[in-house]
């Protein structure tokens, strides 16, 4: 059975006119006692209302159920016993006869349905005709036996709505008492449940009246409590008392409260201590406390007192007095006592502490502004003098000044790193002097013990005086009085000592000064150690990078070269350059820049420079050199991101670089260049004209898969090629276009300058005052080979003409005055030409170049490269390149667009740098001597 009930909304309670809503909200706050009592009353009233409603609902539901059962039985029996009902059931169409009657009876009886059905439960009537002919929902077994059935059941929809209904089923009998049909009548619970609704407002209204009375009573009681407690809750009253008692007895000021009758009502602990009062003085007359007469008169009189000083024993007390109830006129007063003797001492200590805190703050800001060890030591001396000491000296180990790791072996010899204060008045060791301290000196004691040493009176400091008796005597005569020496320690390692001196005009150092000096030294030591470590790392990085850069100019005839390398102030980067001599009097110029800074960038630069050297030795084209470098950088990038490789690296994920690679051939006066993300080189013509080289820009190294474009530039003799890194023309405050324009102006008119002068002029014009990036600059002035030093001719592909090539070679060497090298050169030419004719393809050509060395080149149209091997004694051939390698200083192969060139270099007569060669006859005898023959 479903029971539908509703609760009427209680009327809203508005505050009375003229009374602020906030006042009531405060009075009935849930945290107040009145509010909690009011909430309890509300809960009780609501529980009573709910209980009454529930009881009424249950009672009404029971009464409605009994009424429904009764009315359902009466309606069903009345229709079943009505005349003509049994006869209608025997008619051919019972529904046509009974449906109108059943609906009329339902409306007259006030029930929800009257259903006539057959003995099998098929309905003949129903309020909705569509339900006629369907099975009756309910129990019909007892009714078929002649009994009446009353039950609660659900069925098809009814006019009263859906829900459980109370229905009665009675039999319809004929004249012989035989059951010929059944009649069911009933009411839905939804209709009968409305019987209790009229009583609900009475209950709810009673509850509302009870709530209103509870609210009014609680409000009145709460207001009365507020007047007596000044608006404080019990918890606040307890807290107020606890706080009052704690403050009263903890404050460093005496408090006395006297009544109108002259009795002492209260004395806190400080007042008891200052006045020497006995215990349990509350309630006693003031004149019976045994106080000095001036104080007794003060406490007994009603006059007010402000900051008057009274003596109590050996104390000077500042006294203030005010009435307790100045408006009520009830008498009594409050007296406060303050000990001015202790306050002066405390104020002095507080002032000293404040000054030292200010000095520590100044030290934190002023020490370590730079990463220079000497400057940091000087900042310590300047901060401490004259605020803390009249004279301050800082002595550091040589290893610390150089950035090395300090050791105990260097303690005896310290270098004076900084002096601050009255150094002109007191004779001290000058700056940068090495001081050898004695074992009994305060400095050595401080270093050994790892703590500060105090010498309050230097006249009694025997260890300090024996260090340098003459200097100590002069210092004492000048007024030096006291010393505190503290070791500078960082990471449990001593870096040196700092010495604080005071003259006779200042108070001598005490233990508190020693503690402060140690605190100051700890802060300064951290800054000095940071500067030392930076100095070490910076020196290591600069040393590494400079060791990886060219240390001198290589011997070559093609270019006159000068360079500059300027590391950044905050550390080195990965800028590098190189000049690499190549076969055929050619020279390769390299300028590169690795992304990142520090040791890792420098190491990466070294790897790339070594790789460029290797690729240059292979004599690869410029674009292939950059392509191989690109592959190398990609592999390095993969290594950096594999495993934990990047965790310990400075500049994680380096692997990006720019590079410019150029090869200059002085024989033809041409330069072939390619650049990978690098700034374009600048060309200064002999007439002083400044132009860009016009090298196409390609992707930086490390991207992988991008081609590199080349450009060939014809350079007249005396032209200058200027290569540089971006640090020269670009920084945070200057765009690269502005830098390039400044570079162009600096190079104007440099056609007649030497490369050294050009480099210096560019650096003077463009070097920033504070460089944040490395700067690398390379200037090369071109030279050309005179035709008189070049001999070149073609050789027909006929082995019988090899002697004519040797003869031509001999004639050329005679013209150059190099007859001493004739035998070796003819042998080299003969072997190389023979190999070219036999194993290569036409055209075959020979070229001799006379420069710092004699170069012999044989070219042919084949791309196959010969290889050196050791022939067996039974082999008829295979000794040609072996002979060439023995007579030449260097030899190799380079490929051209038309084939290859086999070259060999020989030292000229009188060249002391050339390695000694075996005499030709002795050499041949060594090679062909067979002990078995």
């Amino acid at each position: 059975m479903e029971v539908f009930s509703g609760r009427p909304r209680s009327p809203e309670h508005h505050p009375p006119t003229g009374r602020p809503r906030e006042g009531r909200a405060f009075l009935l706050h849930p945290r107040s006692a009145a509010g909690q009592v009011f909430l309890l009353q509300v809960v009780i009233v609501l529980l009573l209302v709910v209980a009454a409603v529930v009881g009424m609902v249950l009672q009404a539901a029971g009464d409605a159920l009994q009424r429904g059962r009764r009315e359902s039985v009466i309606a069903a029996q009345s229709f079943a016993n009505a005349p003509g009902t049994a006869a209608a059931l025997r008619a051919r169409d019972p529904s046509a006869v009974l449906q109108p009657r059943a609906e009329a009876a339902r409306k007259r009886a006030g029930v929800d349905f009257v259903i006539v059905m057959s003995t099998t439960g098929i309905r003949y009537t129903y309020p909705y005709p569509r339900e006629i002919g369907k099975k009756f929902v309910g129990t019909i077994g007892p009714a078929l036996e002649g009994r009446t059935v009353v039950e609660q059941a659900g069925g098809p929809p009814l006019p009263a709505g859906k829900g459980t209904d109370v229905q009665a089923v009675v039999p319809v009998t004929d004249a012989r008492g035989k059951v010929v049909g059944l009649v069911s009548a009933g009411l839905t619970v939804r209709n009968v449940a409305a019987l209790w609704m009229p009583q609900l407002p009475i209950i709810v209204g009673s509850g509302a009246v009870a709530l209103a009375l509870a609210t009014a009573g609680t409000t009145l009681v709460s207001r009365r409590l507020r007047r007596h407690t000044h608006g404080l809750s019990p918890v606040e009253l307890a807290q107020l008392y606890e706080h009052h008692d704690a403050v009263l007895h903890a404050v460093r000021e005496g408090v006395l409260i006297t009544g109108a009758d002259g009795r002492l009502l209260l004395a806190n602990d400080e007042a008891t201590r200052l006045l020497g009062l006995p215990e349990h003085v509350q309630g006693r007359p003031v004149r019976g406390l045994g106080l000095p007469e001036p104080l007794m008169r003060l406490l007994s009189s009603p006059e007010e007192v402000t900051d008057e000083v009274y003596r109590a024993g050996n104390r000077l007390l500042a006294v203030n007095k005010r009435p307790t109830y100045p408006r009520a006129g009830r008498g009594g007063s409050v007296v406060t006592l303050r000990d001015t003797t202790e306050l002066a001492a405390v104020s002095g200590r507080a002032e000293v502490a404040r000054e030292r805190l200010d000095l520590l703050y100044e030290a934190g800001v002023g020490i370590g502004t730079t990463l220079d060890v000497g400057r940091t030591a000087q900042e310590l001396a300047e901060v401490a003098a004259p605020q803390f000491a009249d004279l301050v000296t800082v002595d550091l180990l040589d290893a610390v000044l150089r950035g090395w790791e300090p050791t105990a072996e260097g303690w005896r010899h310290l270098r004076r790193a900084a002096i601050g204060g009255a150094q002109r008045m007191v004779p001290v060791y000058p700056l940068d002097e090495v001081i050898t301290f004695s074992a009994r000196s305060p400095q050595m004691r401080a270093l050994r013990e790892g703590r500060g040493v105090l010498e309050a009176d230097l006249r009694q400091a025997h260890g300090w005086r024996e260090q340098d008796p003459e200097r100590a005597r002069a210092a004492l005569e000048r007024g030096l009085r006291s010393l505190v020496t503290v070791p500078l320690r960082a990471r449990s390692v001593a870096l040196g000592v700092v010495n604080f001196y005071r003259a006779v005009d200042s108070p001598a150092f005490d233990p508190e000064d020693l503690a402060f000096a140690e605190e100051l030294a700890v802060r300064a030591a951290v800054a000095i150690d940071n500067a030392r470590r930076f100095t070490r790392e910076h020196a290591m990085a600069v040393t590494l990078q400079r060791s990886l850069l060219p240390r001198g100019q290589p011997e070559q005839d093609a270019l006159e070269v000068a360079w500059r390398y300027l590391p950044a102030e905050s550390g080195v980067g990965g800028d590098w350059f190189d000049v690499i001599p190549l076969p055929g009097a050619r020279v390769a110029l390299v300028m590169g820049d690795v992304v990142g800074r520090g040791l890792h960038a420098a190491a990466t630069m070294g790897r790339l420079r070594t790789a460029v050297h290797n690729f240059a030795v292979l004599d690869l084209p410029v674009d292939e050199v950059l392509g191989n470098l690109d592959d190398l950088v990609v592999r390095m990038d993969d290594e950096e991101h594999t495993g934990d490789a990047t965790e310990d690296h400075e500049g994680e994920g380096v692997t990006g670089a720019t590079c410019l690679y150029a090869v200059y051939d002085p024989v033809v006066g041409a330069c072939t260049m390619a650049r990978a993300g690098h700034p374009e080189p600048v060309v200064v013509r002999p007439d002083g004209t400044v132009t860009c080289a016009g090298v196409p820009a390609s992707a930086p190294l490390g991207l992988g898969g991008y081609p590199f474009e080349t450009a060939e530039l014809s350079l007249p003799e005396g032209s200058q090629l200027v290569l540089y890194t971006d640090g020269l023309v670009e920084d945070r405050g200057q765009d690269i276009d502005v830098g390039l324009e400044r570079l162009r102006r600096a190079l104007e008119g440099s056609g007649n300058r030497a490369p050294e002068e050009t480099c210096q002029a560019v650096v003077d014009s463009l070097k920033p005052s504070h460089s944040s990036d490395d700067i690398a600059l390379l200037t090369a002035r071109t030279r050309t080979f005179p035709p008189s030093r070049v001999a070149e001719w073609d050789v027909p592909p006929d082995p019988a003409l090899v002697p004519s090539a040797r003869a031509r070679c001999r004639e050329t060497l005679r013209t150059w005055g190099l007859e001493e090298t004739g035998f070796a050169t003819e042998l080299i030419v003969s072997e190389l030409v023979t190999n070219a004719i036999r194993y290569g393809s036409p055209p075959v050509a020979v070229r001799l170049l006379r420069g710092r060395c004699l170069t012999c080149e044989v070219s042919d149209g084949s791309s196959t490269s010969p290889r050196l091997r050791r022939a067996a004694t039974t082999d008829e051939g295979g000794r040609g390149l072996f002979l060439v390698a023995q007579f030449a200083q260097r030899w190799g192969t380079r490929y051209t667009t038309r084939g290859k060139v086999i070259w060999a270099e020989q030292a000229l007569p009188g060249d002391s740098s050339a390695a000694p060669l075996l005499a030709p006859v002795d050499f041949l005898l060594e090679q062909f001597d067979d002990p078995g023959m």
Side-chain angles (χ1 to χ4, degrees), residues 179-233:
V179 178
V180 295
L182 302 173
V183 176
S184 175
L187 296 173
T188 61
V189 176
R190 189 170 184 177
N191 288 340
V192 301
L195 299 175
W196 53 267
M197 291 295 292
Q199 302 178 13
L200 183 61
I202 298 174
I203 298 174
V204 175
S206 300
V209 172
L211 288 177
L213 292 176
T215 302
T218 304
T219 302
L220 293 176
V221 173
S222 177
R223 286 182 176 176
R224 186 176 183 85
L225 289 175
R226 286 186 63 195
R227 283 196 300 270
H228 288 286
T229 61
H230 300 285
L232 298 176
S233 67

Side-chain angles (χ1 to χ4, degrees), residues 538 541-543 545-546 549 564-573 575 597 767 770-776:
H538 183 71
V542 171
T543 302
Q545 183 156 17
R546 289 192 181 278
L549 292 174
R564 294 288 186 277
Y565 171 70
L566 305 175
E569 291 183 354
S570 59
V572 298
D575 294 12
R597 307 185 63 78
K767 180 185 176 182
H770 299 284
S771 177
S772 60
D773 194 7
D774 291 5
I775 296 175

